[in-house]
Structure formats: C-alpha cells, structure tokens
C-alpha cells in the first residue's frame, strides 16, 4: 500500500475484525448449543399451560415465522462477485487450491483446503471483507486498499458489534448465562411476553 496512513488503519481494522468475528462465532456457538434445551424447556412449560395450539398450531407465530424465513431464503439472490473480490480470491486460491497442496502434511492441507472453501464462498457472496481476512491469515499482499474499503470495513465492524449486542439481548442468551435456579423464572417471563405479543397482534386496531 502506498499510503502509510491507510496501511496502519487497515492493519488495525483487520485485527479488530478478526477479534469481532471470533466473538460473534463464540456467541453463535453458545446459542446454537443451547437452542435444543431452551426449546424443550419452553415447550414443556407451554404444554403445562395448555397453550400448544396457540404457540405451535397452524397459524401460530412459530409457524408463520418459519414460513416467512423459508420464503425469504427462496427469494434471496446471490450478488455477482465484484472485480476486487475475483482478484483477491485468485490470489488466495493460488496458495490454497487442493491441487497445490498435494505435498503438504495432512493437517496443514486440511486447514488450507478449508480456507479455500471459505474464500470461494466469500467470493460467490461478494464478501470482500471475508476475503481480506483470509488473505491476512495467509500473509497475502492485498491489492491497493482505498478509503472506500476502509469505510466499508468500519461499517462492518459496527454491524458485527450490533449483531453481538442483539444476541446478548435475546431471551435465550439471558437464560443460558443465568444461574440454574433462575432459568425457570426466565422461561415463565418469556412465555408471558409471547402471550402478550400474540394478544396484541390478534387484537383489532383502533383509530
């Protein structure tokens, strides 16, 4: 990079993004592992209250949410990879493509093959940021970074921070980190909140 200021700023942002991605992965992993138990506890409490049809029936919020998610996934179109993403992917593929890893030890080969698959997915999604992070891990010299790139990275940092905070604000996260003796009360509060939400949605609007 020709501009030393941009180089210093870029290195700082890459370091911060790596930390935030690891933190986001941590929160996602914890929530994913806790989903089954949380759902089981909720279903058990809902069954005890005799509200299974309200929560899990044909027109329930859970069914509507699942239908909405399926429609959104179906209608989502992948963006066309940008020229910058294509160029950086080729640099990464040059050192991670399986054809170039034959002579490496199995463990190192597996790591680089995984990086190649991550880079390919990032390229297909036009995720230039992810490609920069992979390139940094491989000590690959990236193309000239612009101020627009810096602004994009700063925006992504804000997005990841907001996503982490949103996960910390969920009922499930607060249930997971709560002492065992307080978990049942959180489930009860969650169900009460959902009942109130459903009642509000089903009530007629008034002018």
């Amino acid at each position: 990079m020709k501009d030393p200021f941009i180089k210093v700023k870029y290195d700082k942002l890459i370091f911060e993004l790596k930390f935030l991605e690891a933190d986001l992965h941590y929160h996602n992993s914890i929530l994913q592992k806790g989903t089954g138990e949380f759902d089981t506890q909720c279903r058990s409490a809902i069954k005890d209250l005799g509200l299974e049809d309200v929560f899990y029936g044909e027109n329930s919020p859970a069914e509507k949410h699942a239908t909405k998610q399926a429609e959104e996934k179906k209608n989502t179109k992948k963006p066309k990879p940008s020229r910058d993403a294509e160029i950086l992917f080729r640099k990464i593929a040059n050192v991670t493509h399986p054809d170039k890893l034959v002579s490496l030890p199995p463990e190192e080969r597996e790591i680089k093959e995984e990086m190649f698959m991550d880079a390919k997915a990032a390229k297909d999604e036009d995720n230039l940021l992810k490609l920069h992070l992979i390139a940094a891990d491989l000590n690959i010299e990236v193309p000239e970074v612009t101020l627009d790139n810096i602004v994009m990275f700063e925006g992504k940092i804000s997005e990841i921070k907001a996503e982490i905070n949103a996960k910390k604000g969920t009922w499930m996260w607060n249930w997971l980190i709560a002492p065992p003796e307080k978990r049942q009360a959180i489930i009860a509060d969650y169900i009460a909140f959902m009942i109130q939400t459903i009642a509000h949605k089903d009530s007629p609007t008034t002018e």
Side-chain angles (χ1 to χ4, degrees), residues 119-133:
K120 187 176 185 303
K123 187 260 296 182
D124 291 342
E125 296 167 3
D126 196 28
N127 189 341
L128 183 60
L129 176 60
K130 182 66 176 178
L131 290 168
H132 273 270
L133 292 175

Side-chain angles (χ1 to χ4, degrees), residues 13-207:
L13 291 175
I14 288 294
F15 178 82
E16 188 173 2
L17 281 163
K18 283 183 180 180
F19 168 78
L20 287 171
E21 281 218 329
D23 196 30
L24 180 60
H25 177 72
Y26 161 75
H27 284 83
N28 284 335
S29 297
I30 296 297
L31 288 170
Q32 187 176 12
K33 290 177 182 177
T35 296
E37 187 180 353
F38 182 77
D39 286 348
T40 298
Q41 294 291 326
C42 286
R43 284 181 177 270
S44 177
I46 288 167
K47 183 179 180 180
D48 290 343
L49 292 169
L51 297 172
E52 288 179 289
D53 288 342
V54 175
F55 280 86
Y56 304 112
E58 187 177 342
N59 294 313
S60 66
E63 183 64 26
K64 289 178 181 177
H65 180 66
T67 301
K68 182 181 177 182
Q69 281 193 321
E71 284 295 322
E72 288 177 349
K73 186 175 182 180
K74 181 181 176 182
N75 295 326
T76 299
K77 293 182 179 179
K78 288 186 177 181
K80 183 179 179 181
S82 64
R83 183 173 177 275
D84 287 345
E86 292 276 9
I87 291 172
L88 193 49
F89 171 71
R90 284 198 293 270
K91 283 177 171 280
I92 293 169
N94 195 45
V95 294
T96 61
H97 192 282
D99 290 346
K100 298 180 177 293
L101 308 176
V102 179
S103 61
L104 294 179
E107 189 173 322
E108 186 178 351
R109 185 167 65 242
E110 184 178 344
I111 291 171
K112 288 199 172 180
E113 284 177 352
E114 186 175 342
M115 295 176 88
F116 173 77
M117 296 304 296
D118 287 344
K120 187 176 185 303
K123 187 260 296 182
D124 291 342
E125 296 167 3
D126 196 28
N127 189 341
L128 183 60
L129 176 60
K130 182 66 176 178
L131 290 168
H132 273 270
L133 292 175
I134 295 170
D137 286 338
L138 292 165
N139 294 317
I140 291 174
E141 183 68 27
V142 300
E144 192 67 25
V145 176
T146 66
L147 285 175
D148 286 342
N149 294 143
I150 296 295
V151 171
M152 179 185 70
F153 295 160
E154 289 175 333
K156 188 62 179 178
I157 284 173
S158 296
E159 286 179 19
I160 296 176
K161 286 180 178 178
E163 189 174 350
I164 292 171
N165 287 333
K167 292 181 187 299
K168 288 181 178 179
T170 61
W171 287 94
M172 190 189 300
W173 180 264
N174 284 280
W175 176 80
L176 284 166
I177 65 173
E181 65 272 14
K182 292 186 177 181
R183 286 187 167 186
Q184 201 60 42
I186 292 175
I187 293 287
D189 289 343
Y190 170 67
I191 293 171
F193 170 77
M194 290 301 296
I195 291 172
Q196 186 178 13
T197 301
I198 293 168
H200 177 72
K201 287 181 178 179
D202 290 343
S203 63
T205 57
T206 55
E207 295 295 332

